[in-house]
Amino acid sequence: MSASTTNLKKEYRERIVPELMKHFGYTSVMQVPELKKIVINQGLGMATGDKKIIDIAIDEVTAITGQKAVATYSKKDISNFKLRRKMPIGVMVTLRRDRMYEFLERLVRVVLPRIRDFKGIESKLDGRGNYTLGIEEQIIFPEINIDSITKILGMNITFVTSAATDEEGYELLKQFGLPFKNLAK
């Protein structure tokens, strides 16, 4: 793992934990919410007609995250969508520990600033302190070669925290540098 990984982890321990303890009045370090995992998910409904889409998506998500992505499969038959049980319909990868911090740092410092007309991300959490960021094009990641793209695919990036409330989760992610829209500095 690179030195930047330890930077973000070290920053969490040295700066973010004391900041959150002060902000929420925690008495113990163990009460401070932490980032548990980051899940990257691509739903590929059009893959029912073309199996190569899944292979391409697996390669792209693997390149973006640095960890092997896996196909997700349908759980039941839905005839209206020409969907059979156990057909591949998406790609996902779960990042934890060092890879998670490395991906988060790349996302905040390199990827999000590359989005045209970027004004920040929505600040709506799920009620349990977790946040899902929707990305419409995979080409904003520098690991993707634009010339080799056959289809523009979007993805969801879910940040799973140990926070009990949205306020705690929001504050944690804000401290990590996620550029929320209504950030008043």
Side-chain angles (χ1 to χ4, degrees), residues 8-181:
L8 202 54
K9 204 187 249 179
K10 202 164 113 184
E11 187 180 340
Y12 171 71
R13 284 198 205 104
E14 292 174 4
R15 183 186 67 81
I16 297 174
V17 168
E19 184 93 14
L20 290 176
M21 282 183 77
K22 193 175 78 189
H23 186 276
F24 290 107
Y26 298 130
T27 53
S28 165
V29 177
M30 299 306 286
Q31 291 174 292
V32 177
E34 63 179 336
L35 194 58
K36 292 279 192 202
K37 61 185 175 181
I38 297 176
V39 181
I40 293 94
N41 183 26
Q42 263 187 340
L44 303 167
M46 76 286 253
T48 56
D50 186 4
K51 298 286 176 270
K52 286 193 301 271
I53 293 174
I54 292 287
D55 297 332
I56 293 167
I58 286 176
D59 293 342
E60 286 179 357
V61 173
T62 300
I64 289 169
T65 59
Q67 182 173 312
K68 182 82 170 116
V70 295
T72 55
Y73 297 93
S74 59
K75 290 183 171 70
K76 57 185 179 182
D77 297 346
I78 304 174
S79 62
N80 289 352
F81 300 128
K82 297 186 174 81
L83 188 66
R84 296 281 156 254
R85 195 162 175 269
K86 293 203 168 94
M87 274 178 106
I89 54 167
V91 172
M92 72 164 291
V93 65
T94 302
L95 303 173
R96 298 174 201 273
R97 297 180 196 86
D98 288 347
R99 281 210 178 108
M100 170 185 74
Y101 285 114
E102 199 172 87
F103 177 78
L104 178 61
E105 188 157 10
R106 274 199 335 262
L107 181 74
V108 171
R109 302 224 168 107
V110 179
V111 176
L112 292 177
R114 287 176 60 147
I115 300 175
R116 265 179 312 202
D117 303 329
F118 185 66
K119 292 177 179 60
I121 57 179
E122 290 296 325
S123 56
K124 184 94 178 79
L125 279 77
D126 71 349
R128 291 185 295 281
N130 304 319
Y131 179 72
T132 300
L133 168 65
I135 290 185
E136 292 174 13
E137 303 176 335
Q138 84 276 35
I139 56 175
I140 63 170
F141 288 94
E143 294 87 358
I144 300 294
N145 180 2
I146 295 176
D147 301 331
S148 66
I149 295 298
T150 51
K151 265 196 170 49
I152 298 286
L153 302 169
M155 64 182 68
N156 287 334
I157 302 172
T158 304
F159 301 91
V160 179
T161 69
S162 64
T165 65
D166 278 355
E167 187 189 356
E168 291 171 328
Y170 173 78
E171 196 60 39
L172 174 69
L173 294 173
K174 190 173 90 174
Q175 292 291 335
F176 270 124
L178 282 178
F180 290 107
K181 275 185 187 163

